[in-house]
Amino acid sequence: MDSIELIINLIIIVLLVPTILYTYRLNSSLKLLRQDQDSLAQLVNALNDATYKAENSIPKIKSVTEHSSEGLKEVVDSAKELKDDLLFINERADNLADRLENVISTGRNIKTTTETTTSSDSIAKKDSRSEAELELLKALRSIK
């Protein structure tokens, strides 16, 4: 019986060695898991804080957005009015430019025709003056 007990004890010892090694490795893994659990808890706390701050800032952001959108709407409305005014002024300026161009064109045509008639009138006047001067000269000569 002693030999059977010895063999059983040896088998138990042989089986206990891998069990001890496995429990040692398991203990190391559990330590890492506990450390990771602490860092995970810190991460969850930080995430909760960030979520709380974000939830608290949403109403502020909404009010700022509404205020900004009102101001922006006023600016856009003003810009639309200015755009309409500028379009009106531009149309008026185009109309005036067309009218001015027509007046200038008409004025050039009138000037050209006036210059033509004026030059022919001046030639006729020179001719008539020449004839009158000639007659006066003849009359003065005849008096001498």
Side-chain angles (χ1 to χ4, degrees):
M1 286 254 283
D2 282 334
S3 68
I4 291 181
E5 284 182 17
L6 184 63
I7 291 175
I8 291 176
N9 283 336
L10 285 174
I11 291 174
I12 290 175
I13 289 173
V14 168
L15 290 175
L16 279 176
V17 169
T19 305
I20 291 172
L21 290 175
Y22 179 73
T23 55
Y24 179 74
R25 289 181 70 203
L26 183 61
N27 188 31
S28 299
S29 297
L30 286 174
K31 281 183 183 179
L32 287 174
L33 185 61
R34 284 186 198 119
Q35 288 174 355
D36 290 342
Q37 184 180 9
D38 290 339
S39 64
L40 183 62
Q42 290 174 353
L43 181 64
V44 168
N45 287 335
L47 182 62
N48 284 336
D49 289 341
T51 305
Y52 177 74
K53 289 177 183 177
E55 286 175 350
N56 287 337
S57 63
I58 287 174
K60 293 176 185 174
I61 291 172
K62 281 185 180 180
S63 67
V64 168
T65 303
E66 289 173 0
H67 181 68
S68 296
S69 66
E70 290 172 3
L72 185 60
K73 185 179 181 209
E74 291 174 6
V75 170
V76 168
D77 290 342
S78 173
K80 284 180 182 178
E81 290 176 10
L82 288 175
K83 177 189 151 208
D84 293 340
D85 290 345
L86 287 174
L87 286 174
F88 177 73
I89 290 171
N90 192 18
E91 288 176 14
R92 293 280 311 245
D94 285 343
N95 290 339
L96 287 174
D98 291 340
R99 287 175 49 197
L100 184 60
E101 186 177 334
N102 289 338
V103 166
I104 290 172
S105 172
T106 306
R108 285 182 182 160
N109 290 339
I110 291 172
K111 182 179 179 183
T112 305
T113 56
T114 305
E115 286 177 355
T116 306
T117 56
T118 305
S119 63
S120 63
D121 287 346
S122 66
I123 291 172
K125 286 181 182 178
K126 285 182 182 177
D127 289 343
S128 65
R129 284 183 191 170
S130 301
E131 291 175 11
E133 288 175 355
L134 288 173
E135 288 179 18
L136 182 62
L137 285 172
K138 285 181 185 177
L140 286 174
R141 286 185 190 149
S142 63
I143 294 177
K144 285 185 182 178

